[in-house]
Amino acid sequence: MARTAMFSKFHFSRVFQRVTGLSPGRFLSAVRLQEAKRLLASTSLTVTDISHRVGYSSVGTFSSRFTSSVGLSPTKYRQLKSITPQMSAAGWEDTTGNEPVTTVRGDISSPLKDQPIFAGLFPDRILEGQPVRYVILPKPGPYVLEDVPQGEWHLMAQSVAPGREDAVDHAPGGDEALCIGRHGPITVRPGTHTKVADLHLRPMRPLDPPVLLALRDLLSVNVPQLTH
C-alpha cells in the first residue's frame, strides 16, 4: 500500500493514522470485523467459513476479537443481529487508587435532528469494546458523563436514521443515514473536575473506521437520557 501511494512505509503509516485516527493494521482489523458482521447478518455461512473469509486462520482468535470489539459472540450476533451491549453501570474500574470525580459535559448536534444519540468515552478513536462511560440521548442536545476515571479518553458519538440501526455497510461516497463524531483525546488528571467537549455529528465517510460496537437497541429506542 505504501509503494502504491509512493510513500515510505513509515510516512504512509503516519499519514494514514492522521487521516483515519487508526494505524493501517488496526483499520484493517476493524474492516475485517465489519465484514464479518455483514456476513453473519446476511448469509448462512458458518462462523468458521466467515472467519477464514475475513482473514483469520484461527476461529478461536476470530471469535475472541469479534466478541471483545462488538460486545457479542459471532453466534449470538447472528441470532440477535444486534442487541444492547452488556455494560455495567460503573463502567471500567478505576485502578488509580483515587475516587473518580471528573465530569465531562457539552452539547451534541446532529443532522439527524430527532434521532437518539449514543455517546461514550473510549481509549481509542473507534467505536468498539466497552466504553468507560456512556450516555444515550433521545435527540441532539446537552449531555453529561459523570465520575469519569483518570486517563486519556476519546469521546465517540453515533446516530442513525430509522431502519439503519445495524449499520453494517458503508456507502461508497459517504453515508447520510449514519452520522458520527469524535473529540479528543480528553485527558483526565488528579484534581480535574469538569471537562467541556462539544461535538457535531456528520455523515460517515469511507475513511472513517467502521462502527463495531453493537448499538441497535440503544439507538432505536427513544428513551430519556441514560448515563452509565
Side-chain angles (χ1 to χ4, degrees):
M1 291 176 67
R3 283 197 301 269
T4 301
M6 300 181 69
F7 288 155
S8 71
K9 175 182 175 181
F10 300 104
H11 182 58
F12 172 76
S13 295
R14 285 194 297 268
V15 171
F16 190 96
Q17 183 148 358
R18 186 168 67 243
V19 171
T20 67
L22 299 177
S23 69
R26 186 74 183 281
F27 194 97
L28 175 59
S29 177
V31 170
R32 285 173 169 169
L33 293 177
Q34 180 80 343
E35 175 65 3
K37 287 174 65 179
R38 187 188 71 81
L39 292 172
L40 286 166
S42 62
T43 75
S44 59
L45 292 170
T46 67
V47 172
T48 299
D49 287 340
I50 290 173
S51 70
H52 293 159
R53 284 202 178 198
V54 299
Y56 286 88
S57 57
S58 167
V59 180
T61 300
F62 164 72
S63 296
S64 176
R65 291 183 180 173
F66 187 98
T67 301
S68 64
S69 294
V70 177
L72 299 168
S73 69
T75 301
K76 201 71 170 178
Y77 182 84
R78 164 167 278 167
Q79 291 172 349
L80 303 176
K81 291 297 192 300
S82 182
I83 66 167
T84 303
Q86 299 302 307
M87 292 177 280
S88 66
W92 288 348
E93 293 183 3
D94 178 17
T95 59
T96 61
N98 298 309
E99 289 295 327
V101 295
T102 300
T103 296
V104 176
R105 65 173 67 240
D107 190 83
I108 300 178
S109 59
S110 170
L112 302 173
K113 300 298 184 183
D114 298 316
Q115 293 304 306
I117 293 174
F118 168 91
L121 294 173
F122 294 83
D124 295 309
R125 297 173 69 181
I126 181 172
L127 271 158
E128 72 169 353
Q130 182 173 352
V132 65
R133 292 291 183 269
Y134 73 92
V135 62
I136 306 160
L137 304 176
K139 61 182 181 179
Y143 76 93
V144 178
L145 295 167
E146 297 180 332
D147 293 337
V148 178
Q150 295 173 29
E152 191 169 88
W153 314 110
H154 294 268
L155 176 64
M156 305 288 297
Q158 179 192 15
S159 182
V160 297
R164 287 296 310 278
E165 290 83 4
D166 287 322
V168 295
D169 294 312
H170 284 270
D175 195 342
E176 299 288 336
L178 173 58
C179 293
I180 63 169
R182 63 189 183 193
H183 178 95
I186 298 170
T187 302
V188 177
R189 296 189 176 94
T192 303
H193 296 292
T194 302
K195 288 278 190 177
V196 177
D198 294 332
L199 198 60
H200 176 69
L201 273 59
R202 55 165 176 76
M204 192 166 189
R205 302 165 184 162
L207 289 177
D208 288 318
V211 174
L212 299 180
L213 188 62
L215 294 172
R216 179 176 181 173
D217 283 1
L218 284 175
L219 293 173
S220 62
V221 179
N222 196 350
V223 295
Q225 177 172 322
L226 301 176
T227 59
H228 294 267

